[in-house]
Amino acid sequence: EAGVTQFPSHSVIEKGQTVTLRCDPISGHDNLYWYRRVMGKEIKFLLHFVKESKQDESGMPNNRFLAERTGGTYSTLKVQPAELEDSGVYFCASSQVRIVSTEAFFGQGTRLTVV
Amino acid sequence: TQLLEQSPQFLSIQEGENLTVYCNSSSVFSSLQWYRQEPGEGPVLLVTVVTGGEVKKLKRLTFQFGDARKDSSLHITAAQTGDTGLYLCAGALTGSARQLTFGSGTQLTVLP
């Protein structure tokens, strides 16, 4: 079974540009999460999809970030326009509802560098 | 203020030694997970603990969830060089959605 996959693995863009990150969750997982780790900080929650619906987007830093999950399959996270402080590693995770509902499986992350 | 305090931040030991990593909070978690992360990869789930006082063993790794579900520990017996990595604790707060709150991590280096 394929794990969570993220594209691209690395992205270097200039301030003011747009970047779109993609996440393909484990097949059949209804829950999809985006997390971010910025330099020197812990991994922090951004938002949570259940199928195609946004369940919780309380961690999104501002309106420059837009996440979508059309059809309840893969998800994209767009940053527009990117700022220097957006640099970090963006992780996607997915899970299926089980007894322990918080088990999540992570992708390898996308390292975003804004210069 | 960090919700989950993880200690120590860095740990360097000799192969064969034992070690313990701690994860503490003033908040109650419905469950807590331990992950291990290698450079360039995402966190890999090691274990999930759910019940207060629960102890789980995974080969040389022993995980414990505090009775009050506010803290957890990871103990490694006879560490090996292959145990080197970043260990992360992450918990789901009671009453919250399924998002995880992460500790800052413990970078473990096991020297030959």
PDB file of all heavy atoms in Angstrom, chain A residues 31 33 35 37 42-43 45 48 56 58 91 97 100-104 106-108, chain B residues 2 31 33 35 37 40-43 48 50 86 88 92 98-100 102-104:
ATOM      1  N   ASN A  31      -9.618  11.400   6.378  1.00  0.00           N
ATOM      2  CA  ASN A  31      -9.021  12.539   7.066  1.00  0.00           C
ATOM      3  C   ASN A  31      -7.693  12.922   6.423  1.00  0.00           C
ATOM      4  O   ASN A  31      -6.839  12.062   6.199  1.00  0.00           O
ATOM      5  CB  ASN A  31      -8.755  12.209   8.533  1.00  0.00           C
ATOM      6  CG  ASN A  31     -10.034  11.944   9.284  1.00  0.00           C
ATOM      7  OD1 ASN A  31     -10.858  12.822   9.490  1.00  0.00           O
ATOM      8  ND2 ASN A  31     -10.213  10.699   9.700  1.00  0.00           N
ATOM      9  N   TYR A  33      -4.676  16.038   6.737  1.00  0.00           N
ATOM     10  CA  TYR A  33      -4.192  17.158   7.548  1.00  0.00           C
ATOM     11  C   TYR A  33      -2.997  17.810   6.874  1.00  0.00           C
ATOM     12  O   TYR A  33      -2.197  17.134   6.230  1.00  0.00           O
ATOM     13  CB  TYR A  33      -3.726  16.670   8.925  1.00  0.00           C
ATOM     14  CG  TYR A  33      -4.699  15.799   9.666  1.00  0.00           C
ATOM     15  CD1 TYR A  33      -4.787  14.444   9.402  1.00  0.00           C
ATOM     16  CD2 TYR A  33      -5.515  16.330  10.665  1.00  0.00           C
ATOM     17  CE1 TYR A  33      -5.667  13.632  10.084  1.00  0.00           C
ATOM     18  CE2 TYR A  33      -6.394  15.517  11.368  1.00  0.00           C
ATOM     19  CZ  TYR A  33      -6.462  14.178  11.062  1.00  0.00           C
ATOM     20  OH  TYR A  33      -7.341  13.378  11.749  1.00  0.00           O
ATOM     21  N   TYR A  35       0.278  20.176   8.097  1.00  0.00           N
ATOM     22  CA  TYR A  35       1.063  20.691   9.209  1.00  0.00           C
ATOM     23  C   TYR A  35       2.255  21.436   8.638  1.00  0.00           C
ATOM     24  O   TYR A  35       2.636  21.251   7.487  1.00  0.00           O
ATOM     25  CB  TYR A  35       1.583  19.545  10.095  1.00  0.00           C
ATOM     26  CG  TYR A  35       0.544  18.840  10.937  1.00  0.00           C
ATOM     27  CD1 TYR A  35      -0.205  17.790  10.403  1.00  0.00           C
ATOM     28  CD2 TYR A  35       0.327  19.203  12.260  1.00  0.00           C
ATOM     29  CE1 TYR A  35      -1.150  17.138  11.183  1.00  0.00           C
ATOM     30  CE2 TYR A  35      -0.609  18.545  13.046  1.00  0.00           C
ATOM     31  CZ  TYR A  35      -1.348  17.517  12.495  1.00  0.00           C
ATOM     32  OH  TYR A  35      -2.286  16.866  13.264  1.00  0.00           O
ATOM     33  N   ARG A  37       6.323  22.978   9.793  1.00  0.00           N
ATOM     34  CA  ARG A  37       7.388  23.223  10.757  1.00  0.00           C
ATOM     35  C   ARG A  37       8.242  24.342  10.189  1.00  0.00           C
ATOM     36  O   ARG A  37       8.845  24.192   9.123  1.00  0.00           O
ATOM     37  CB  ARG A  37       8.246  21.995  10.971  1.00  0.00           C
ATOM     38  CG  ARG A  37       9.433  22.262  11.863  1.00  0.00           C
ATOM     39  CD  ARG A  37      10.247  21.020  12.126  1.00  0.00           C
ATOM     40  NE  ARG A  37      10.454  20.844  13.554  1.00  0.00           N
ATOM     41  CZ  ARG A  37      10.802  19.705  14.122  1.00  0.00           C
ATOM     42  NH1 ARG A  37      10.979  18.649  13.392  1.00  0.00           N
ATOM     43  NH2 ARG A  37      10.971  19.621  15.423  1.00  0.00           N
ATOM     44  N   GLU A  42       8.289  23.822  16.689  1.00  0.00           N
ATOM     45  CA  GLU A  42       7.685  22.507  16.593  1.00  0.00           C
ATOM     46  C   GLU A  42       6.719  22.447  15.407  1.00  0.00           C
ATOM     47  O   GLU A  42       6.305  23.471  14.861  1.00  0.00           O
ATOM     48  CB  GLU A  42       6.938  22.166  17.895  1.00  0.00           C
ATOM     49  CG  GLU A  42       5.670  22.974  18.147  1.00  0.00           C
ATOM     50  CD  GLU A  42       5.945  24.309  18.806  1.00  0.00           C
ATOM     51  OE1 GLU A  42       7.112  24.762  18.826  1.00  0.00           O
ATOM     52  OE2 GLU A  42       4.966  24.906  19.293  1.00  0.00           O
ATOM     53  N   ILE A  43       6.375  21.236  15.011  1.00  0.00           N
ATOM     54  CA  ILE A  43       5.395  21.037  13.946  1.00  0.00           C
ATOM     55  C   ILE A  43       4.041  21.553  14.434  1.00  0.00           C
ATOM     56  O   ILE A  43       3.593  21.213  15.531  1.00  0.00           O
ATOM     57  CB  ILE A  43       5.287  19.537  13.592  1.00  0.00           C
ATOM     58  CG1 ILE A  43       6.627  19.020  13.054  1.00  0.00           C
ATOM     59  CG2 ILE A  43       4.170  19.298  12.582  1.00  0.00           C
ATOM     60  CD1 ILE A  43       6.672  17.519  12.843  1.00  0.00           C
ATOM     61  N   PHE A  45      -0.137  22.409  13.484  1.00  0.00           N
ATOM     62  CA  PHE A  45      -1.322  22.103  12.694  1.00  0.00           C
ATOM     63  C   PHE A  45      -1.747  23.304  11.870  1.00  0.00           C
ATOM     64  O   PHE A  45      -1.727  24.447  12.336  1.00  0.00           O
ATOM     65  CB  PHE A  45      -2.444  21.709  13.657  1.00  0.00           C
ATOM     66  CG  PHE A  45      -3.814  21.630  13.054  1.00  0.00           C
ATOM     67  CD1 PHE A  45      -4.196  20.518  12.333  1.00  0.00           C
ATOM     68  CD2 PHE A  45      -4.709  22.678  13.217  1.00  0.00           C
ATOM     69  CE1 PHE A  45      -5.467  20.441  11.791  1.00  0.00           C
ATOM     70  CE2 PHE A  45      -5.983  22.606  12.677  1.00  0.00           C
ATOM     71  CZ  PHE A  45      -6.361  21.493  11.957  1.00  0.00           C
ATOM     72  N   HIS A  48      -7.528  20.641   8.633  1.00  0.00           N
ATOM     73  CA  HIS A  48      -7.998  19.271   8.603  1.00  0.00           C
ATOM     74  C   HIS A  48      -9.197  19.162   7.658  1.00  0.00           C
ATOM     75  O   HIS A  48     -10.151  19.926   7.778  1.00  0.00           O
ATOM     76  CB  HIS A  48      -8.397  18.860  10.033  1.00  0.00           C
ATOM     77  CG  HIS A  48      -9.110  17.551  10.149  1.00  0.00           C
ATOM     78  ND1 HIS A  48      -9.963  17.270  11.196  1.00  0.00           N
ATOM     79  CD2 HIS A  48      -9.080  16.430   9.375  1.00  0.00           C
ATOM     80  CE1 HIS A  48     -10.440  16.045  11.066  1.00  0.00           C
ATOM     81  NE2 HIS A  48      -9.921  15.521   9.966  1.00  0.00           N
ATOM     82  N   ASP A  56     -11.543  21.788  10.099  1.00  0.00           N
ATOM     83  CA  ASP A  56     -10.926  22.711  11.034  1.00  0.00           C
ATOM     84  C   ASP A  56      -9.782  23.402  10.311  1.00  0.00           C
ATOM     85  O   ASP A  56      -8.870  22.736   9.848  1.00  0.00           O
ATOM     86  CB  ASP A  56     -10.401  21.937  12.257  1.00  0.00           C
ATOM     87  CG  ASP A  56      -9.757  22.824  13.309  1.00  0.00           C
ATOM     88  OD1 ASP A  56      -9.580  24.038  13.077  1.00  0.00           O
ATOM     89  OD2 ASP A  56      -9.428  22.303  14.387  1.00  0.00           O
ATOM     90  N   SER A  58      -8.319  26.220  11.764  1.00  0.00           N
ATOM     91  CA  SER A  58      -7.916  27.199  12.770  1.00  0.00           C
ATOM     92  C   SER A  58      -6.418  27.476  12.784  1.00  0.00           C
ATOM     93  O   SER A  58      -5.980  28.482  13.320  1.00  0.00           O
ATOM     94  CB  SER A  58      -8.350  26.719  14.164  1.00  0.00           C
ATOM     95  OG  SER A  58      -7.745  25.475  14.465  1.00  0.00           O
ATOM     96  N   PHE A  91       4.084  19.427   5.964  1.00  0.00           N
ATOM     97  CA  PHE A  91       3.759  18.009   6.020  1.00  0.00           C
ATOM     98  C   PHE A  91       2.273  17.791   5.794  1.00  0.00           C
ATOM     99  O   PHE A  91       1.443  18.567   6.251  1.00  0.00           O
ATOM    100  CB  PHE A  91       4.122  17.407   7.383  1.00  0.00           C
ATOM    101  CG  PHE A  91       5.588  17.351   7.675  1.00  0.00           C
ATOM    102  CD1 PHE A  91       6.175  18.259   8.537  1.00  0.00           C
ATOM    103  CD2 PHE A  91       6.385  16.376   7.087  1.00  0.00           C
ATOM    104  CE1 PHE A  91       7.527  18.203   8.813  1.00  0.00           C
ATOM    105  CE2 PHE A  91       7.742  16.314   7.354  1.00  0.00           C
ATOM    106  CZ  PHE A  91       8.324  17.227   8.214  1.00  0.00           C
ATOM    107  N   VAL A  97     -10.840   6.761  10.171  1.00  0.00           N
ATOM    108  CA  VAL A  97     -11.480   6.693  11.480  1.00  0.00           C
ATOM    109  C   VAL A  97     -11.363   5.281  12.014  1.00  0.00           C
ATOM    110  O   VAL A  97     -11.754   4.326  11.373  1.00  0.00           O
ATOM    111  CB  VAL A  97     -12.955   7.085  11.390  1.00  0.00           C
ATOM    112  CG1 VAL A  97     -13.621   6.926  12.750  1.00  0.00           C
ATOM    113  CG2 VAL A  97     -13.084   8.505  10.903  1.00  0.00           C
ATOM    114  N   VAL A 100      -8.737   4.289  17.642  1.00  0.00           N
ATOM    115  CA  VAL A 100      -7.859   5.390  18.002  1.00  0.00           C
ATOM    116  C   VAL A 100      -7.892   6.353  16.833  1.00  0.00           C
ATOM    117  O   VAL A 100      -7.180   6.187  15.859  1.00  0.00           O
ATOM    118  CB  VAL A 100      -6.419   4.898  18.258  1.00  0.00           C
ATOM    119  CG1 VAL A 100      -5.527   6.060  18.625  1.00  0.00           C
ATOM    120  CG2 VAL A 100      -6.424   3.847  19.344  1.00  0.00           C
ATOM    121  N   SER A 101      -8.739   7.347  16.928  1.00  0.00           N
ATOM    122  CA  SER A 101      -9.018   8.157  15.757  1.00  0.00           C
ATOM    123  C   SER A 101      -7.926   9.148  15.422  1.00  0.00           C
ATOM    124  O   SER A 101      -8.006   9.796  14.399  1.00  0.00           O
ATOM    125  CB  SER A 101     -10.337   8.901  15.962  1.00  0.00           C
ATOM    126  OG  SER A 101     -10.226   9.758  17.078  1.00  0.00           O
ATOM    127  N   THR A 102      -6.922   9.293  16.259  1.00  0.00           N
ATOM    128  CA  THR A 102      -5.933  10.316  15.962  1.00  0.00           C
ATOM    129  C   THR A 102      -4.674   9.762  15.318  1.00  0.00           C
ATOM    130  O   THR A 102      -3.754  10.506  15.060  1.00  0.00           O
ATOM    131  CB  THR A 102      -5.529  11.077  17.244  1.00  0.00           C
ATOM    132  OG1 THR A 102      -5.017  10.128  18.185  1.00  0.00           O
ATOM    133  CG2 THR A 102      -6.711  11.806  17.830  1.00  0.00           C
ATOM    134  N   GLU A 103      -4.598   8.462  15.039  1.00  0.00           N
ATOM    135  CA  GLU A 103      -3.413   7.943  14.368  1.00  0.00           C
ATOM    136  C   GLU A 103      -3.314   8.567  12.992  1.00  0.00           C
ATOM    137  O   GLU A 103      -4.268   8.535  12.221  1.00  0.00           O
ATOM    138  CB  GLU A 103      -3.507   6.423  14.232  1.00  0.00           C
ATOM    139  CG  GLU A 103      -3.192   5.687  15.503  1.00  0.00           C
ATOM    140  CD  GLU A 103      -3.081   4.201  15.291  1.00  0.00           C
ATOM    141  OE1 GLU A 103      -3.640   3.707  14.299  1.00  0.00           O
ATOM    142  OE2 GLU A 103      -2.446   3.537  16.107  1.00  0.00           O
ATOM    143  N   ALA A 104      -2.177   9.110  12.711  1.00  0.00           N
ATOM    144  CA  ALA A 104      -1.997   9.770  11.423  1.00  0.00           C
ATOM    145  C   ALA A 104      -0.687   9.323  10.808  1.00  0.00           C
ATOM    146  O   ALA A 104       0.286   9.086  11.509  1.00  0.00           O
ATOM    147  CB  ALA A 104      -2.013  11.287  11.591  1.00  0.00           C
ATOM    148  N   PHE A 106       2.223  10.266   7.998  1.00  0.00           N
ATOM    149  CA  PHE A 106       2.765  11.473   7.399  1.00  0.00           C
ATOM    150  C   PHE A 106       3.476  11.211   6.080  1.00  0.00           C
ATOM    151  O   PHE A 106       4.092  10.150   5.894  1.00  0.00           O
ATOM    152  CB  PHE A 106       3.748  12.144   8.361  1.00  0.00           C
ATOM    153  CG  PHE A 106       3.071  12.894   9.465  1.00  0.00           C
ATOM    154  CD1 PHE A 106       2.508  12.223  10.537  1.00  0.00           C
ATOM    155  CD2 PHE A 106       2.978  14.288   9.426  1.00  0.00           C
ATOM    156  CE1 PHE A 106       1.861  12.921  11.551  1.00  0.00           C
ATOM    157  CE2 PHE A 106       2.339  14.981  10.437  1.00  0.00           C
ATOM    158  CZ  PHE A 106       1.783  14.300  11.493  1.00  0.00           C
ATOM    159  N   GLY A 107       3.417  12.207   5.209  1.00  0.00           N
ATOM    160  CA  GLY A 107       4.233  12.212   4.012  1.00  0.00           C
ATOM    161  C   GLY A 107       5.640  12.696   4.341  1.00  0.00           C
ATOM    162  O   GLY A 107       5.927  13.062   5.494  1.00  0.00           O
ATOM    163  N   GLN A 108       6.485  12.734   3.324  1.00  0.00           N
ATOM    164  CA  GLN A 108       7.891  13.081   3.556  1.00  0.00           C
ATOM    165  C   GLN A 108       8.097  14.578   3.689  1.00  0.00           C
ATOM    166  O   GLN A 108       9.152  15.030   4.095  1.00  0.00           O
ATOM    167  CB  GLN A 108       8.775  12.531   2.424  1.00  0.00           C
ATOM    168  CG  GLN A 108       8.850  13.399   1.180  1.00  0.00           C
ATOM    169  CD  GLN A 108       7.652  13.251   0.254  1.00  0.00           C
ATOM    170  OE1 GLN A 108       6.626  12.661   0.607  1.00  0.00           O
ATOM    171  NE2 GLN A 108       7.770  13.781  -0.946  1.00  0.00           N
TER     172      GLN A 108
ATOM    173  N   GLN B   2       4.710  26.602  24.831  1.00  0.00           N
ATOM    174  CA  GLN B   2       4.516  25.329  24.180  1.00  0.00           C
ATOM    175  C   GLN B   2       3.610  24.451  25.014  1.00  0.00           C
ATOM    176  O   GLN B   2       3.791  24.312  26.218  1.00  0.00           O
ATOM    177  CB  GLN B   2       5.881  24.663  23.997  1.00  0.00           C
ATOM    178  CG  GLN B   2       5.978  23.817  22.775  1.00  0.00           C
ATOM    179  CD  GLN B   2       7.416  23.507  22.441  1.00  0.00           C
ATOM    180  OE1 GLN B   2       8.284  24.380  22.497  1.00  0.00           O
ATOM    181  NE2 GLN B   2       7.692  22.277  22.120  1.00  0.00           N
ATOM    182  N   SER B  31      -5.235  10.982  23.544  1.00  0.00           N
ATOM    183  CA  SER B  31      -4.271   9.981  23.108  1.00  0.00           C
ATOM    184  C   SER B  31      -2.946  10.681  22.858  1.00  0.00           C
ATOM    185  O   SER B  31      -2.902  11.910  22.675  1.00  0.00           O
ATOM    186  CB  SER B  31      -4.731   9.266  21.834  1.00  0.00           C
ATOM    187  OG  SER B  31      -4.754  10.166  20.749  1.00  0.00           O
ATOM    188  N   GLN B  33       0.938  10.098  20.806  1.00  0.00           N
ATOM    189  CA  GLN B  33       1.710   9.275  19.886  1.00  0.00           C
ATOM    190  C   GLN B  33       3.174   9.654  19.943  1.00  0.00           C
ATOM    191  O   GLN B  33       3.521  10.801  20.233  1.00  0.00           O
ATOM    192  CB  GLN B  33       1.181   9.482  18.456  1.00  0.00           C
ATOM    193  CG  GLN B  33      -0.213   8.922  18.277  1.00  0.00           C
ATOM    194  CD  GLN B  33      -0.957   9.552  17.139  1.00  0.00           C
ATOM    195  OE1 GLN B  33      -0.355   9.935  16.141  1.00  0.00           O
ATOM    196  NE2 GLN B  33      -2.258   9.659  17.265  1.00  0.00           N
ATOM    197  N   TYR B  35       6.563   9.555  17.487  1.00  0.00           N
ATOM    198  CA  TYR B  35       7.038   9.428  16.115  1.00  0.00           C
ATOM    199  C   TYR B  35       8.561   9.480  16.111  1.00  0.00           C
ATOM    200  O   TYR B  35       9.188  10.051  17.006  1.00  0.00           O
ATOM    201  CB  TYR B  35       6.521  10.579  15.244  1.00  0.00           C
ATOM    202  CG  TYR B  35       5.048  10.568  14.956  1.00  0.00           C
ATOM    203  CD1 TYR B  35       4.137  11.131  15.844  1.00  0.00           C
ATOM    204  CD2 TYR B  35       4.559  10.023  13.781  1.00  0.00           C
ATOM    205  CE1 TYR B  35       2.784  11.139  15.576  1.00  0.00           C
ATOM    206  CE2 TYR B  35       3.195  10.023  13.501  1.00  0.00           C
ATOM    207  CZ  TYR B  35       2.331  10.581  14.405  1.00  0.00           C
ATOM    208  OH  TYR B  35       0.984  10.589  14.128  1.00  0.00           O
ATOM    209  N   GLN B  37      11.575  10.621  13.284  1.00  0.00           N
ATOM    210  CA  GLN B  37      11.773  11.281  12.001  1.00  0.00           C
ATOM    211  C   GLN B  37      13.236  11.248  11.607  1.00  0.00           C
ATOM    212  O   GLN B  37      14.109  11.596  12.403  1.00  0.00           O
ATOM    213  CB  GLN B  37      11.272  12.729  12.064  1.00  0.00           C
ATOM    214  CG  GLN B  37      11.291  13.443  10.734  1.00  0.00           C
ATOM    215  CD  GLN B  37      10.766  14.856  10.824  1.00  0.00           C
ATOM    216  OE1 GLN B  37      10.491  15.373  11.907  1.00  0.00           O
ATOM    217  NE2 GLN B  37      10.624  15.502   9.693  1.00  0.00           N
ATOM    218  N   GLY B  40      14.957  14.564   5.979  1.00  0.00           N
ATOM    219  CA  GLY B  40      14.360  14.508   4.654  1.00  0.00           C
ATOM    220  C   GLY B  40      13.123  13.640   4.551  1.00  0.00           C
ATOM    221  O   GLY B  40      12.582  13.457   3.460  1.00  0.00           O
ATOM    222  N   GLU B  41      12.681  13.119   5.681  1.00  0.00           N
ATOM    223  CA  GLU B  41      11.490  12.276   5.673  1.00  0.00           C
ATOM    224  C   GLU B  41      10.465  12.825   6.646  1.00  0.00           C
ATOM    225  O   GLU B  41      10.753  13.699   7.462  1.00  0.00           O
ATOM    226  CB  GLU B  41      11.851  10.841   6.046  1.00  0.00           C
ATOM    227  CG  GLU B  41      12.798  10.182   5.067  1.00  0.00           C
ATOM    228  CD  GLU B  41      13.152   8.765   5.478  1.00  0.00           C
ATOM    229  OE1 GLU B  41      12.565   8.262   6.437  1.00  0.00           O
ATOM    230  OE2 GLU B  41      14.034   8.188   4.831  1.00  0.00           O
ATOM    231  N   GLY B  42       9.248  12.307   6.547  1.00  0.00           N
ATOM    232  CA  GLY B  42       8.223  12.716   7.485  1.00  0.00           C
ATOM    233  C   GLY B  42       8.259  11.866   8.743  1.00  0.00           C
ATOM    234  O   GLY B  42       8.936  10.833   8.797  1.00  0.00           O
ATOM    235  N   PRO B  43       7.550  12.298   9.781  1.00  0.00           N
ATOM    236  CA  PRO B  43       7.481  11.511  11.015  1.00  0.00           C
ATOM    237  C   PRO B  43       6.862  10.141  10.761  1.00  0.00           C
ATOM    238  O   PRO B  43       5.865  10.024  10.052  1.00  0.00           O
ATOM    239  CB  PRO B  43       6.583  12.361  11.918  1.00  0.00           C
ATOM    240  CG  PRO B  43       6.652  13.739  11.356  1.00  0.00           C
ATOM    241  CD  PRO B  43       6.799  13.571   9.892  1.00  0.00           C
ATOM    242  N   THR B  48       0.934   4.478  19.669  1.00  0.00           N
ATOM    243  CA  THR B  48      -0.133   5.330  20.190  1.00  0.00           C
ATOM    244  C   THR B  48      -0.554   4.795  21.548  1.00  0.00           C
ATOM    245  O   THR B  48      -0.769   3.588  21.694  1.00  0.00           O
ATOM    246  CB  THR B  48      -1.358   5.332  19.253  1.00  0.00           C
ATOM    247  OG1 THR B  48      -0.963   5.827  17.972  1.00  0.00           O
ATOM    248  CG2 THR B  48      -2.464   6.223  19.801  1.00  0.00           C
ATOM    249  N   VAL B  50      -3.345   5.385  24.723  1.00  0.00           N
ATOM    250  CA  VAL B  50      -4.686   5.951  24.865  1.00  0.00           C
ATOM    251  C   VAL B  50      -5.153   5.987  26.329  1.00  0.00           C
ATOM    252  O   VAL B  50      -5.764   6.946  26.768  1.00  0.00           O
ATOM    253  CB  VAL B  50      -5.708   5.135  24.032  1.00  0.00           C
ATOM    254  CG1 VAL B  50      -7.105   5.697  24.199  1.00  0.00           C
ATOM    255  CG2 VAL B  50      -5.312   5.119  22.573  1.00  0.00           C
ATOM    256  N   LEU B  86      15.293  11.833  15.229  1.00  0.00           N
ATOM    257  CA  LEU B  86      14.498  12.824  15.956  1.00  0.00           C
ATOM    258  C   LEU B  86      13.228  12.138  16.456  1.00  0.00           C
ATOM    259  O   LEU B  86      12.460  11.595  15.675  1.00  0.00           O
ATOM    260  CB  LEU B  86      14.143  13.987  15.031  1.00  0.00           C
ATOM    261  CG  LEU B  86      13.275  15.088  15.637  1.00  0.00           C
ATOM    262  CD1 LEU B  86      14.051  15.838  16.722  1.00  0.00           C
ATOM    263  CD2 LEU B  86      12.813  16.061  14.548  1.00  0.00           C
ATOM    264  N   LEU B  88       9.638  12.476  18.322  1.00  0.00           N
ATOM    265  CA  LEU B  88       8.601  13.476  18.534  1.00  0.00           C
ATOM    266  C   LEU B  88       7.427  12.869  19.284  1.00  0.00           C
ATOM    267  O   LEU B  88       6.980  11.770  18.947  1.00  0.00           O
ATOM    268  CB  LEU B  88       8.081  13.999  17.197  1.00  0.00           C
ATOM    269  CG  LEU B  88       9.065  14.714  16.284  1.00  0.00           C
ATOM    270  CD1 LEU B  88       8.576  14.719  14.857  1.00  0.00           C
ATOM    271  CD2 LEU B  88       9.278  16.138  16.758  1.00  0.00           C
ATOM    272  N   ALA B  92      -3.402  14.415  21.022  1.00  0.00           N
ATOM    273  CA  ALA B  92      -4.693  14.986  20.646  1.00  0.00           C
ATOM    274  C   ALA B  92      -5.367  15.441  21.922  1.00  0.00           C
ATOM    275  O   ALA B  92      -5.597  14.643  22.839  1.00  0.00           O
ATOM    276  CB  ALA B  92      -5.544  13.955  19.932  1.00  0.00           C
ATOM    277  N   ARG B  98      -9.332  16.069  15.495  1.00  0.00           N
ATOM    278  CA  ARG B  98      -8.272  15.077  15.512  1.00  0.00           C
ATOM    279  C   ARG B  98      -6.879  15.644  15.248  1.00  0.00           C
ATOM    280  O   ARG B  98      -5.950  14.905  15.025  1.00  0.00           O
ATOM    281  CB  ARG B  98      -8.591  13.980  14.505  1.00  0.00           C
ATOM    282  CG  ARG B  98      -9.905  13.292  14.816  1.00  0.00           C
ATOM    283  CD  ARG B  98     -10.110  12.095  13.922  1.00  0.00           C
ATOM    284  NE  ARG B  98     -11.384  11.448  14.187  1.00  0.00           N
ATOM    285  CZ  ARG B  98     -12.482  11.694  13.496  1.00  0.00           C
ATOM    286  NH1 ARG B  98     -12.466  12.554  12.501  1.00  0.00           N
ATOM    287  NH2 ARG B  98     -13.608  11.082  13.799  1.00  0.00           N
ATOM    288  N   GLN B  99      -6.754  16.953  15.297  1.00  0.00           N
ATOM    289  CA  GLN B  99      -5.431  17.531  15.062  1.00  0.00           C
ATOM    290  C   GLN B  99      -4.485  17.147  16.183  1.00  0.00           C
ATOM    291  O   GLN B  99      -4.888  16.932  17.312  1.00  0.00           O
ATOM    292  CB  GLN B  99      -5.547  19.044  14.977  1.00  0.00           C
ATOM    293  CG  GLN B  99      -6.091  19.668  16.249  1.00  0.00           C
ATOM    294  CD  GLN B  99      -6.020  21.177  16.209  1.00  0.00           C
ATOM    295  OE1 GLN B  99      -4.976  21.722  16.485  1.00  0.00           O
ATOM    296  NE2 GLN B  99      -7.097  21.828  15.882  1.00  0.00           N
ATOM    297  N   LEU B 100      -3.204  17.083  15.849  1.00  0.00           N
ATOM    298  CA  LEU B 100      -2.169  16.746  16.801  1.00  0.00           C
ATOM    299  C   LEU B 100      -1.399  17.972  17.235  1.00  0.00           C
ATOM    300  O   LEU B 100      -1.130  18.864  16.435  1.00  0.00           O
ATOM    301  CB  LEU B 100      -1.198  15.739  16.185  1.00  0.00           C
ATOM    302  CG  LEU B 100      -1.746  14.339  15.894  1.00  0.00           C
ATOM    303  CD1 LEU B 100      -0.731  13.525  15.118  1.00  0.00           C
ATOM    304  CD2 LEU B 100      -2.126  13.636  17.188  1.00  0.00           C
ATOM    305  N   PHE B 102       2.241  18.905  18.695  1.00  0.00           N
ATOM    306  CA  PHE B 102       3.558  18.274  18.734  1.00  0.00           C
ATOM    307  C   PHE B 102       4.454  18.900  19.795  1.00  0.00           C
ATOM    308  O   PHE B 102       4.390  20.109  20.067  1.00  0.00           O
ATOM    309  CB  PHE B 102       4.256  18.430  17.380  1.00  0.00           C
ATOM    310  CG  PHE B 102       3.843  17.403  16.372  1.00  0.00           C
ATOM    311  CD1 PHE B 102       2.705  17.583  15.611  1.00  0.00           C
ATOM    312  CD2 PHE B 102       4.597  16.258  16.190  1.00  0.00           C
ATOM    313  CE1 PHE B 102       2.316  16.638  14.675  1.00  0.00           C
ATOM    314  CE2 PHE B 102       4.224  15.307  15.260  1.00  0.00           C
ATOM    315  CZ  PHE B 102       3.082  15.485  14.505  1.00  0.00           C
ATOM    316  N   GLY B 103       5.328  18.056  20.338  1.00  0.00           N
ATOM    317  CA  GLY B 103       6.441  18.560  21.112  1.00  0.00           C
ATOM    318  C   GLY B 103       7.536  19.010  20.150  1.00  0.00           C
ATOM    319  O   GLY B 103       7.449  18.773  18.937  1.00  0.00           O
ATOM    320  N   SER B 104       8.571  19.640  20.680  1.00  0.00           N
ATOM    321  CA  SER B 104       9.631  20.188  19.825  1.00  0.00           C
ATOM    322  C   SER B 104      10.628  19.131  19.386  1.00  0.00           C
ATOM    323  O   SER B 104      11.433  19.373  18.501  1.00  0.00           O
ATOM    324  CB  SER B 104      10.360  21.322  20.543  1.00  0.00           C
ATOM    325  OG  SER B 104      10.856  20.863  21.772  1.00  0.00           O
TER     326      SER B 104
END
